[in-house]
Amino acid sequence: MPDCWRSFLKQRALQQGLTHITDTVLGCECNAEGDIAALTLQTRGRYAADFYIDCSGFRALLIEQGLKIPFIEFGENLFNDAAVAIGSLRPTDAPIQAETVSQAMSAGWAWAIPLQHRIGNGYVYSRAHLSAEQAERELREHLGPQAETLPARHLNMRIGRRTRHWHRNCLAVGLSQGFIEPLEATALMLVQLTLVQFVTELSQHGNAPDAQDRCNQEVNRMFDGVRDYIVAHYKLNGRSDSDYWIDAREHAPVSDTLGALMEAWDSGQFEDALQRYSPSLAYLRPSWYVLFSGMGRFSEHAGALRTPTRHPERTQFVQQHYPDHLSALRQMTAQSP
Ligand SMILES: Cc1cc2nc3c(=O)[nH]c(=O)nc-3n(C[C@H](O)[C@H](O)[C@H](O)COP(=O)(O)OP(=O)(O)OC[C@H]3O[C@@H](n4cnc5c(N)ncnc54)[C@H](O)[C@@H]3O)c2cc1C
């Protein structure tokens, strides 16, 4: 997390009357009932609290190492489990794109996120299909001569989710509760959803087992729904230029829900299926249409969708009446306190 965000959140917390302690968690102890009794901190020693929030990232110090809550791996149909990132400079006055660009690579996809002063670039890939060295080389080639001397950062990702996120006197949030590869940038949305569910249940029912169960069920539903939507991106791919894309299309299993949606799309029963499966979907109707049609999946039943409606006059209106992205950002930062 960038330092400016960290200090913003810290200031907010202090204003609410919280005490901020900086220390390293060495471990935690549980009592006979299975609650966390205390943390062991490097400088403060034993530190007891009523409730604990595990936001220790992939290390999952409390929810996994302490409470031993199982982790369900999504690796059988979401292959990407590593990333390499290389930040590049952006000339100050160059136009800035308003969107993240995601581009298919030999064993995954590359992102380019334009920021005000630099571009965040990276390659999310499958270690079963590509080594870290190969991934870095491919990313450098993709970025061109400008990236030759820039440093690369490698990281591994654990893809899946906990069976329970709120367990007894502990809530796991963020990477400690699970992670789905960032193709649709859903991680912070899942953090927000978890917190909203938790706060809603806690404020109405306290730390009760059925409140925990309802919260866990909803968070799991969203995780699995997001997984299905991301898996569909890979399942519908039409590439045959590497084992990765062929494996993703032909060898990755799909959930019953996704299988039924794909079948319904092909047979022209898509609306019915969307209705029937709506309780287990994280993404709504328009997203599914955009995905299936955007991936070029058309059967004779979907013929009417083949001709996209274009509105050149709207594009022209936007170009004439709105500032470009760089000017808009400059305006906003000049106005912020
Ligand atoms: C390649 C990639 C791309 C992503 N893209 C997106 C995106 O586009 N959109 C999106 O919403 N999300 C994205 N995410 C996810 C986003 O980065 C995470 O959701 C977010 O960083 C979660 O933060 P976290 O606090 O759970 O974990 P982290 O950011 O890993 O923070 C964990 C913290 O715990 C601390 N810690 C660890 N061990 C100890 C210890 N023993 N004692 C004390 N402190 C400790 C660490 O110092 C760290 O500060 C992406 C993630 C990856 C890997």
Side-chain angles (χ1 to χ4, degrees), residues 23-25 55-57 59 61 83 111 155 173-175 179 182 185 187-188:
D23 213 325
T24 299
V25 179
C55 44
S56 60
R59 299 175 81 178
L61 287 168
W111 78 80
L155 61 117
V173 185
L175 300 179
F179 183 54
L188 297 182

Side-chain angles (χ1 to χ4, degrees), residues 1 6 23-26 54-59 61 83 111 113 124 155-157 173-176 179 182 184-189 191:
M1 184 189 285
R6 208 188 302 271
D23 213 325
T24 299
V25 179
L26 299 177
D54 186 345
C55 44
S56 60
F58 284 126
R59 299 175 81 178
L61 287 168
W111 78 80
I113 304 177
V124 178
L155 61 117
N156 293 336
M157 309 178 304
V173 185
L175 300 179
S176 63
F179 183 54
E184 288 283 347
T186 46
L188 297 182
M189 182 272 284
V191 165

Side-chain angles (χ1 to χ4, degrees), residues 12-290:
R12 293 280 298 182
L14 293 176
Q15 281 162 10
Q16 307 288 319
L18 270 75
T19 306
H20 183 240
I21 297 168
T22 304
D23 213 325
T24 299
V25 179
L26 299 177
C28 69
E29 61 183 80
C30 295
N31 62 24
E33 288 76 44
D35 287 314
I36 296 177
L39 305 180
T40 309
L41 303 182
Q42 194 167 42
T43 53
R44 289 184 168 240
R46 192 173 188 278
Y47 192 87
D50 297 325
F51 199 90
Y52 300 81
I53 297 183
D54 186 345
C55 44
S56 60
F58 284 126
R59 299 175 81 178
L61 287 168
L62 310 187
I63 198 79
E64 179 166 294
Q65 294 182 32
L67 297 176
K68 315 271 184 261
I69 298 298
F71 189 86
I72 298 177
E73 309 276 352
F74 288 171
E76 63 171 5
N77 50 21
L78 286 179
F79 300 160
N80 296 344
D81 57 358
V84 50
I86 299 178
S88 60
L89 282 175
R90 202 187 63 77
T92 322
D93 286 319
I96 186 167
Q97 282 173 286
E99 69 282 338
T100 296
V101 176
S102 306
Q103 197 170 329
M105 304 282 273
S106 76
W109 57 276
W111 78 80
I113 304 177
L115 303 168
Q116 284 184 71
H117 305 295
R118 64 181 179 87
I119 301 177
N121 309 288
Y123 181 4
V124 178
Y125 64 94
S126 154
R127 278 181 287 167
H129 295 83
L130 206 66
S131 70
E133 294 72 34
Q134 288 170 320
E136 183 176 330
R137 205 176 318 128
E138 197 181 334
L139 178 61
R140 288 189 186 283
E141 279 165 21
H142 172 69
L143 297 175
Q146 52 143 351
E148 257 167 31
T149 53
L150 297 172
R153 200 165 56 89
H154 290 263
L155 61 117
N156 293 336
M157 309 178 304
R158 193 175 185 192
I159 306 297
R161 65 160 171 83
R162 299 278 149 209
T163 52
R164 294 171 66 76
H165 311 264
W166 179 4
H167 182 71
R168 302 196 67 93
N169 65 341
C170 176
L171 174 76
V173 185
L175 300 179
S176 63
Q177 73 180 134
F179 183 54
I180 296 179
E181 64 128 294
L183 185 59
E184 288 283 347
T186 46
L188 297 182
M189 182 272 284
L190 289 166
V191 165
Q192 176 72 13
L193 173 104
T194 304
L195 293 175
V196 169
Q197 290 298 319
F198 170 70
V199 169
T200 306
E201 290 290 346
L202 188 75
S203 58
Q204 289 172 16
H205 307 285
N207 192 10
D210 57 345
Q212 296 174 15
D213 289 347
R214 276 190 303 273
C215 173
N216 289 325
Q217 210 175 350
E218 180 57 13
V219 175
N220 286 342
R221 185 185 79 78
M222 284 301 280
F223 260 90
D224 294 352
V226 169
R227 178 205 54 201
D228 280 353
Y229 191 67
I230 308 284
V231 169
H233 289 68
Y234 293 100
K235 203 69 197 167
L236 299 173
N237 92 82
R239 301 174 69 109
S240 295
D241 53 345
S242 71
D243 288 346
Y244 171 88
W245 290 105
I246 296 168
D247 286 348
R249 180 176 60 248
E250 292 174 14
H251 303 134
V254 294
S255 71
D256 291 347
T257 303
L258 181 55
L261 285 182
M262 289 172 66
E263 218 177 287
W265 173 267
D266 292 340
S267 63
Q269 309 293 316
F270 199 52
E271 280 298 319
D272 293 347
L274 284 174
Q275 283 250 307
R276 195 164 350 117
Y277 290 96
S278 64
S280 52
L281 300 181
Y283 280 79
L284 302 177
R285 192 167 171 267
S287 302
W288 286 101
Y289 273 98
V290 166

